[in-house]
Amino acid sequence: MPAAAAAWGGAAVGVGAPATVALAAALTALLLTVVVLALPGRRTGDACGRRGPSVLPSALTSGGTPRSASGRGGRTAALALAAVALAAALASAGVRSAESSSGLLPDLVERRAVVEVLVKVVADPSAVRAATGAAIGPDAPAGTAGRAATSPPERWVVRGRALEVVGRGAAGGARGGLLLVGGRQVAELGRDQEVTVVGRLVPTEPGDDVVALLRVQGPLRAVRPPTGWRGGAAHLRAGLRTAVEPLPADPRGLLPGLVVGDTTALPADLEDAMRTAGLAHLTAVSGGNTAVLVAAAAGGAALLGARRLARAALAGAALTAFVAVAGPEPSVLRAGVMAAAALVGLLAARPGRGVPPLAAAVVVLVVLDPSTSRSVGFALSVLGTGALLLLARPWAAALGRVVPERAAVVVAVPLAAQAVCAPVLLLLDPRVSLVAVPANVLAAPAVAPATVLGVSALAVAPLSPALAHVLAVPAGWAAGWVAAVARTAASVPAATVPWPGGWAGAALLAGVLLTALVVVPALLRGVAAAVRARPRDPAGGARGLGPAAVGAGPRPRRPAPGGPDVLARRPGGTRRDRRQLLALVAAACLVAGLALAPPVRSRLGGASWPPPDWLAVQCDVGQGAALVVRSGPGAAVVVDVGPDPALVDGCLDRLGVDQVDLLVLTHFHADHVDGLPGALAGREVERALTSPLPVPDAAAGRVAQQLADAGVPSSVGLAGEQGTAGEVRWRVLAPGAGASPGPSAAGAVRGAAGGRGGWRGGGAAGGEDDGANDASVVVVLEAPGGRVTALGDLGAEAQAALRRATSTDAGAWPVDVLGVAHHGSSDQDPGLAALADPRAALVGVGENTYGHPTARALELAGARGAVVACTTATGDVAVSGGPDALVLTARRALRDGATC
């Protein structure tokens, strides 16, 4: 286990470091190994406890070997093994880093070039599904809401491996993983197929398992279909899809996921339900899938009278064949290796026997692929397998005292897995599922028959499609039961509860679980033991304790083999020592989690930013505007980017935004667009909307070039445009065909462009009379926590035109959060302020000579009870909460409580 921990940690650090640093660290670890092995007394005992030459008098030894020296020798061997594993992981990470930074591909990635790449597809395509259930205004066309929930996804992703690349006048071989992002044509790609793709490269973070995203921009051209055993595997998977085709939608989409991880046909609402119910692991090829298959193979061999080694060989062969069919991608290989580790432990009939194979599997996997060390899926695989090996059996024994033995096993397995995996799952979704354990208990009886029958259908499909369908029918019944459990569990009120996200939330939850499962039971057992050990006189009164009295009590019951005390009999510390260590770990996790939690940090005077449930944030970017609306974990819609790249980049970093699902640039004045490089830096931007009036000309051209260089699709925003961006549904309210420029837009006239209308600008370039302000794009954003609208720099006349055009639009007004127009200038329309009726009004404003924000603007914004906040007073200001109550949280300490 120390070797596994060293390799895991070393790989995680090494993949993000330069190659020279990682290789130098590997050399240092090897030198440490030499030093450790050269320590005096190392020959007194090896890792297996074999006897060596004694260096102490025989009177101090037991059986000819000094006990302390033997323990020291074992610790020395363990430390040396950990150093070797660390060196191997660091060296592998260094070699991988050197490979990824050599050749033509890294240079093209850094330049975000448009390239033509020969790619070998290594996984099945996955849908990036739009949010469902978002509110749509009643003025939307009939049937729109229904189509939003059932329409096919707009984007698909698939993993591939680059083989050759052509770009920027150069061509050559390429090595490295790519993540292809595109439309329906990406969805039609098949695993192990070789295709030529034209697209723009987008860099990823150092240490990622792909070197770049490839945004597909042109048609894909097939070069070579899968051949050999890969072609056979593809044929088997296609046969399973054909066999389940006549089944209802839920089992038709779920069964291939249970069998080989193919979720391309899984309904979006079922996918969401399984995530809420804690059943999403069933649709990924995981240790659970492989364990079911291995157990079925071993059990079948046992029924035929095979011995243990023969059963293990047959199970291993079945596991190898399954990995080949499911595809030797990292997640499948992880699942296979973890299942093999669990198989060793289970065949040994003692849970501890599986820990060394599990630790060896960790070392092998992180050395072969160092990027695995940073994968949440890898962490879940290791923790889940460890829970099966170490916790499931003792917990089942403990539960067996109060419930039937079989029921205890059924409950103990998902309970152990959920307990150890829940803190890691928080890194993906800041919610704790309260229905995960009962949902897994209810679904478990159907998982094994669905998997085994599904694999059987897959195997016979090439020989007899009819027989495959016969097998798929009962498998579909089992998969339908799993789907029904998921949907029912997800519909339970309070199926999930919010929890602080990130590492703080993970540490806090780990501390709570350790306290509840280890510390509290240990304290209760201690109290109970003290009460039992207290002797009583014949009259029932307690007497003083003495040596004889203590020995007079009943002899403690010897724990059953494999029970909760099985770990206590191993060398390396008593049960009491381990409990004390776990208590210290629990206390450390609780302290760390509480110290990092925003409310506590706020009371301690630390930076409490952002609120965990933030809805919208007005960034402090000086005299400018940048409004951020949350659209998912790590994702947001951004309206304007202010004048300074560093300021908007810092705000987005503080919010943890690494993906911009929609970027709205209301108009091209410097205080709204000059920060664009900061918003683009290191982030994936899915789409941009810009003003239809391209003035000032220089700024509009610069923005267009920056978006093109970053590979961001861009279009003008005109009234009526709508779509989804993550969990947010957006709709453009202005400018539109019914709008007319006000006095400040005297140089702009309305003209026709493709039947939709277009802006034709004049006036001073970049001045207040160039018409750009009143051509601001106004977008209403329907987020899960409320409705948000930013007015750009609209003047009073343009605001009045917007009011007249949308006064009866219940899908636009009122709003929960309003971005006040033009930094709080006095040029405001009272009618629009009353129509908007916001609960919170945010003013992006900095030091200026214009008198912004004006008293009139602040009075109008707060006339109907809204809380008004200005970034000059608050710094970044966040709106959080929900329909019942909104909370404004200022990043900067307020003077006298004033928010403006």
Side-chain angles (χ1 to χ4, degrees):
M1 289 180 69
W8 194 346
V13 173
V15 293
T20 53
V21 174
L23 293 174
L27 180 60
T28 303
L30 286 177
L31 294 176
L32 176 63
T33 306
V34 174
V35 171
V36 168
L37 293 177
L39 289 175
R42 66 179 175 85
R43 292 174 54 82
T44 59
D46 62 16
C48 299
R50 291 188 292 267
R51 298 173 184 173
S54 176
V55 297
L56 296 177
S58 60
L60 302 179
T61 68
S62 174
T65 302
R67 292 182 180 178
S68 61
S70 178
R72 184 167 63 249
R75 290 192 295 270
T76 300
L79 182 58
L81 182 60
V84 170
L86 174 63
L90 287 169
S92 177
V95 171
R96 182 66 57 90
S97 179
E99 288 179 349
S100 63
S101 60
S102 62
L104 179 60
L105 184 59
D107 179 63
L108 294 173
V109 171
E110 185 177 356
R111 298 163 68 181
R112 296 175 177 261
V114 175
V115 296
E116 181 179 83
V117 192
L118 177 62
V119 178
K120 183 171 186 176
V121 180
V122 298
D124 289 321
S126 300
V128 181
R129 303 188 187 277
T132 60
I136 302 175
D139 58 333
T144 301
R147 289 197 305 271
T150 60
S151 59
E154 298 177 356
R155 291 184 299 124
W156 293 73
V157 296
V158 68
R159 292 181 177 272
R161 188 171 67 251
L163 303 177
E164 298 175 4
V165 62
V166 178
R168 299 291 174 96
R175 298 186 64 180
L178 297 175
L179 186 66
L180 280 63
V181 183
R184 176 56 59 176
Q185 55 185 345
V186 172
E188 296 172 355
L189 292 176
R191 189 185 301 174
D192 300 318
Q193 182 182 8
E194 291 185 12
V195 295
T196 300
V197 186
V198 175
R200 184 179 294 275
L201 295 168
V202 179
T204 56
E205 292 293 327
D208 204 328
D209 56 352
V210 295
V211 298
L213 303 179
L214 183 65
R215 294 182 176 279
V216 178
Q217 295 184 347
L220 281 66
R221 181 168 54 87
V223 174
R224 188 177 297 111
T227 58
W229 66 269
R230 296 180 183 273
H235 187 54
L236 288 172
R237 294 192 298 270
L240 176 62
R241 287 192 292 268
T242 302
V244 301
E245 187 63 32
L247 300 180
D250 279 359
R252 181 173 67 244
L254 182 56
L255 187 58
L258 293 174
V259 176
V260 291
D262 181 1
T263 59
T264 53
L266 188 65
D269 55 343
L270 178 56
E271 185 177 17
D272 294 338
M274 295 190 68
R275 188 178 297 113
T276 300
L279 297 173
H281 62 92
L282 298 177
T283 58
V285 177
S286 64
N289 305 68
T290 52
V292 167
L293 182 63
V294 164
L303 291 176
L304 296 176
R307 300 194 176 191
R308 177 173 295 182
L309 289 179
R311 297 200 303 268
L314 181 60
L319 180 62
T320 302
F322 175 79
V323 169
V325 173
E329 56 185 286
S331 62
V332 179
L333 291 176
R334 288 200 304 268
V337 172
M338 295 306 158
L343 175 65
V344 171
L346 294 175
L347 289 177
R350 289 181 59 184
R353 294 282 178 86
V355 175
L358 174 61
V362 171
V363 174
V364 170
L365 286 171
V366 299
V367 170
L368 291 178
D369 185 6
S371 62
T372 295
S373 61
R374 294 192 178 190
S375 167
V376 173
F378 176 68
L380 293 173
S381 295
V382 175
L383 292 174
T385 306
L388 175 65
L389 294 174
L390 294 177
L391 299 181
R393 192 187 298 267
W395 286 15
L399 290 172
R401 298 167 186 165
V402 294
V403 299
E405 182 179 352
R406 291 185 179 275
V409 173
V410 170
V411 173
V413 171
L415 183 62
Q418 188 69 17
V420 299
C421 293
V424 179
L425 289 171
L426 276 178
L427 301 176
L428 300 176
D429 187 0
R431 297 180 299 171
V432 176
S433 176
L434 301 182
V435 298
V437 171
N440 276 274
V441 169
L442 292 172
V447 173
T451 303
V452 173
L453 290 170
V455 170
S456 301
L458 178 143
V460 304
L463 302 175
S464 173
L467 179 58
H469 175 63
V470 169
L471 293 171
V473 170
W477 296 340
W481 170 255
V482 174
V485 169
R487 292 188 182 278
T488 303
S491 65
V492 172
T496 60
V497 295
W499 192 271
W503 291 105
L508 185 61
L509 183 58
V512 170
L513 290 172
L514 279 172
T515 301
L517 298 174
V518 177
V519 178
V520 171
L523 291 175
L524 294 177
R525 281 194 298 268
V527 171
V531 172
R532 287 195 302 268
R534 193 173 185 81
R536 298 181 178 275
D537 58 26
R543 295 185 299 173
L545 295 178
V550 172
R555 298 181 62 185
R557 182 180 60 84
R558 181 172 181 175
D565 295 334
V566 67
L567 297 179
R569 295 195 296 270
R570 295 185 199 151
T574 65
R575 179 173 57 178
R576 181 178 179 182
D577 293 337
R578 290 194 178 91
R579 286 175 180 166
Q580 290 176 346
L581 177 61
L582 289 174
L584 290 175
V585 172
C589 290
L590 287 172
V591 170
L594 290 173
L596 294 173
V600 176
R601 294 178 66 190
S602 176
R603 281 167 170 63
L604 294 177
S608 173
W609 193 260
D613 58 343
W614 65 273
L615 161 65
V617 171
Q618 183 76 58
C619 294
D620 181 10
V621 291
Q623 178 65 7
L627 181 66
V628 184
V629 178
R630 187 182 221 159
S631 60
V637 174
V638 178
V639 182
D640 288 330
V641 291
D644 189 327
L647 293 179
V648 70
D649 186 27
C651 181
L652 294 175
D653 280 345
R654 289 189 293 272
L655 296 174
V657 174
D658 52 25
Q659 176 172 314
V660 178
D661 289 322
L662 178 66
L663 173 64
V664 181
L665 300 176
T666 60
H667 61 294
F668 295 105
H669 283 163
D671 55 343
H672 292 254
V673 299
D674 276 8
L676 181 56
L680 297 175
R683 295 181 184 86
E684 181 182 356
V685 181
E686 300 297 328
R687 180 179 180 180
L689 287 178
T690 62
S691 172
L693 180 61
V695 295
D697 296 343
R702 185 168 60 251
V703 166
Q705 186 61 50
Q706 291 169 348
L707 293 175
D709 289 344
V712 179
S714 176
S715 60
V716 299
L718 292 172
E721 298 280 352
Q722 61 181 332
T724 54
E727 298 174 0
V728 172
R729 185 158 189 87
W730 58 268
R731 183 159 59 93
V732 179
L733 301 181
S740 60
S744 65
V749 296
R750 191 69 172 152
R756 299 286 305 271
W759 286 95
R760 192 166 63 243
E768 290 294 319
D769 62 347
D770 62 3
N773 285 349
D774 286 351
S776 293
V777 178
V778 179
V779 179
V780 58
L781 304 169
E782 292 281 1
R787 181 182 292 168
V788 183
T789 298
L791 297 176
D793 275 2
L794 291 184
E797 288 298 323
Q799 291 181 31
L802 174 62
R803 168 173 51 82
R804 290 190 294 268
T806 60
S807 60
T808 60
D809 188 350
W813 315 108
V815 299
D816 296 293
V817 182
L818 179 70
V820 176
H822 205 174
H823 322 292
S825 78
S826 60
D827 193 21
Q828 308 286 336
D829 175 51
L832 185 63
L835 181 64
D837 190 18
R839 301 162 67 195
L842 309 180
V843 186
V845 61
E847 298 299 328
N848 63 87
T849 59
Y850 307 111
H852 300 164
T854 64
R856 181 173 187 270
L858 298 181
E859 181 181 354
L860 288 174
R864 299 174 68 89
V867 178
V868 186
C870 307
T871 53
T872 45
T874 63
D876 298 343
V877 59
V879 179
S880 57
D884 296 331
L886 290 183
V887 178
L888 256 66
T889 306
R891 183 166 176 263
R892 183 184 303 164
L894 301 178
R895 296 179 181 177
D896 302 323
T899 56
C900 274

